[in-house]
Amino acid sequence: MQLSNSSQYAIRILSYMALEQDSKLLNATQLAATLQIPYKFLTKIMTEVVKAGLVVSIRGREGGYRFEKPTSQIIVSEILKIFNDSIEDKQCVLGIGFCNGVCKCALHDQWMKPKLLMQKMFEESSLADIAGKGCKQ
Amino acid sequence: MQLSNSSQYAIRILSYMALEQDSKLLNATQLAATLQIPYKFLTKIMTEVVKAGLVVSIRGREGGYRFEKPTSQIIVSEILKIFNDSIEDKQCVLGIGFCNGVCKCALHDQWMKPKLLMQKMFEESSLADIAGKGCKQ
DNA sequence: CATAAATACTACTTAAAGGTAGAATTAAAT
DNA sequence: ATTTAATTCTACCTTTAAGTAGTATTTATG
Ligand code: SF4
Ligand code: SF4
């Protein structure tokens, strides 16, 4: 019952980036050192984030990563989607998920509430929200 | 954001067993066939459940598994505990979990609610509750 | 142009979860 | 006593997540 390491790292990286100037260029070496994430793993993750279009990368000397759109428009659940970690409607605690409304186990109704809260949390939190209110991780 | 396969299987097995008579002896072959769980994996899981004391096993011919105490006294979170899948208080979405109340990220407060609901769900549901209200999986 | 500093790509290694095989042990039934 | 049907044990195999290594590519700077 936890996000994958990749998702966790990605959220930490991007919310740290959001704390800095939106437009500022940040490179992998600095990020890895600051956030204590293995450099090679960080670049692997960031490459996926770039492919997903959440961030642009500038290659070559003096390059780095930068948001293109404002961080208020980048939603946490978009990040999770990249690593197949976002919460689907049909997703069930028991991994079955096909039980119809009539024939359902007793966990079903109880599971609805936390599931919806988590979906809401991930779908209604932007990076700006996260970064603005918190401390550096 | 899902339980491990072992936990999922264990919940399904035990809640199915709870549907049958509490005292009835059920064997691995039948359970595996009924629940569509690989026989060898089922016995592996059940051995751990037995070791945890949730179920007693009768070895030898005509043997099988049976609850010793009533299913109303077996709590879902006890099952999860066996597979290190229960939700801890300090557990954090980002796997950090050491941030104090003063310095916390914006996910922190939002995460509290669903986390507490899930803990409540797992700690306040007995097998009798689950089995009584639902259909066979 | 040459160099240096950055990301991207390909491939590999390691660790953990998920699952399987076979033999050992137990005990009822005959 | 032997057989048969059950759990348990030990060891292994497979798949996926996590992490690493090395090289290629890109580009500003001098
Ligand atoms: S009824 Fe139970 S097993 Fe079926 S989808 Fe709902 S929570 Fe999952
Ligand atoms: S502040 Fe954020 S990172 Fe820290 S424990 Fe709370 S949710 Fe986790």
Side-chain angles (χ1 to χ4, degrees):
Chain A
M1 297 301 266
Q2 221 176 1
L3 298 176
S4 67
N5 273 15
S6 296
S7 287
Q8 293 182 4
Y9 283 152
I11 291 176
R12 284 177 57 210
I13 296 164
L14 296 178
S15 64
Y16 173 78
M17 284 178 65
L19 264 182
E20 309 290 305
Q21 287 299 355
D22 279 12
S23 56
K24 195 172 163 191
L25 217 52
L26 295 166
N27 68 51
T29 310
Q30 295 164 3
L31 289 170
T34 306
L35 298 171
Q36 302 266 69
I37 297 172
Y39 169 80
K40 280 288 192 181
F41 198 30
L42 184 141
T43 58
K44 190 181 195 176
I45 287 168
M46 285 307 285
T47 301
E48 297 185 71
V49 171
V50 166
K51 275 184 186 155
L54 272 57
V55 153
V56 279
S57 63
I58 310 297
R59 296 180 64 168
R61 187 167 178 166
E62 303 292 303
Y65 303 104
R66 169 178 13 98
F67 295 110
E68 195 152 49
K69 51 184 175 181
T71 53
S72 60
Q73 285 173 34
I74 295 179
I75 305 305
V76 174
S77 90
E78 292 183 71
I79 304 170
L80 303 187
K81 217 169 287 172
I82 300 172
F83 306 99
N84 294 316
D85 231 348
S86 61
I87 300 172
E88 305 297 327
D89 287 332
K90 64 167 206 264
Q91 191 166 321
C92 149
V93 221
L94 300 185
I96 300 175
F98 302 117
C99 318
N100 53 46
V102 181
C103 176
K104 59 190 177 188
C105 84
L107 288 180
H108 193 96
D109 291 333
Q110 296 181 77
W111 171 239
M112 296 282 271
K113 284 182 243 167
K115 183 175 67 178
L116 282 172
L117 280 175
M118 288 191 288
Q119 284 185 307
K120 194 177 152 71
M121 169 173 81
F122 291 142
E123 280 163 20
E124 295 181 3
S125 299
S126 72
L127 281 179
D129 292 336
I130 290 183
K133 295 178 193 160
C135 315
K136 301 189 187 187
Q137 299 303 342
Chain B
M1 294 302 266
Q2 222 176 0
L3 298 176
S4 68
N5 274 14
S6 296
S7 288
Q8 294 181 4
Y9 282 152
I11 291 175
R12 285 178 55 210
I13 295 165
L14 296 178
S15 63
Y16 173 79
M17 285 177 64
L19 264 181
E20 309 290 307
Q21 286 301 355
D22 279 14
S23 57
K24 195 172 162 190
L25 218 52
L26 295 166
N27 69 50
T29 311
Q30 296 163 2
L31 288 170
T34 306
L35 298 171
Q36 301 265 71
I37 297 172
Y39 170 80
K40 281 289 193 180
F41 198 30
L42 184 142
T43 59
K44 189 180 195 175
I45 288 168
M46 285 308 285
T47 301
E48 296 185 72
V49 172
V50 167
K51 276 183 185 155
L54 272 56
V55 154
V56 278
S57 63
I58 311 296
R59 296 181 64 167
R61 188 167 178 165
E62 305 291 302
Y65 304 104
R66 168 178 14 98
F67 295 111
E68 196 152 47
K69 51 185 174 181
T71 53
S72 59
Q73 286 173 34
I74 295 178
I75 305 306
V76 174
S77 89
E78 290 184 72
I79 305 170
L80 303 187
K81 219 168 284 171
I82 301 172
F83 305 100
N84 293 317
D85 231 349
S86 62
I87 300 171
E88 305 298 325
D89 287 332
K90 63 164 209 265
Q91 190 167 323
C92 151
V93 220
L94 300 185
I96 300 174
F98 303 118
C99 319
N100 53 46
V102 180
C103 177
K104 60 190 177 188
C105 84
L107 288 181
H108 193 96
D109 291 332
Q110 296 180 77
W111 170 239
M112 295 283 271
K113 283 182 246 166
K115 183 174 67 178
L116 282 173
L117 281 175
M118 287 191 289
Q119 285 185 307
K120 194 176 152 71
M121 169 172 81
F122 292 141
E123 281 164 19
E124 296 181 3
S125 299
S126 73
L127 281 178
D129 293 335
I130 290 183
K133 294 177 195 162
C135 315
K136 300 190 186 186
Q137 301 301 343

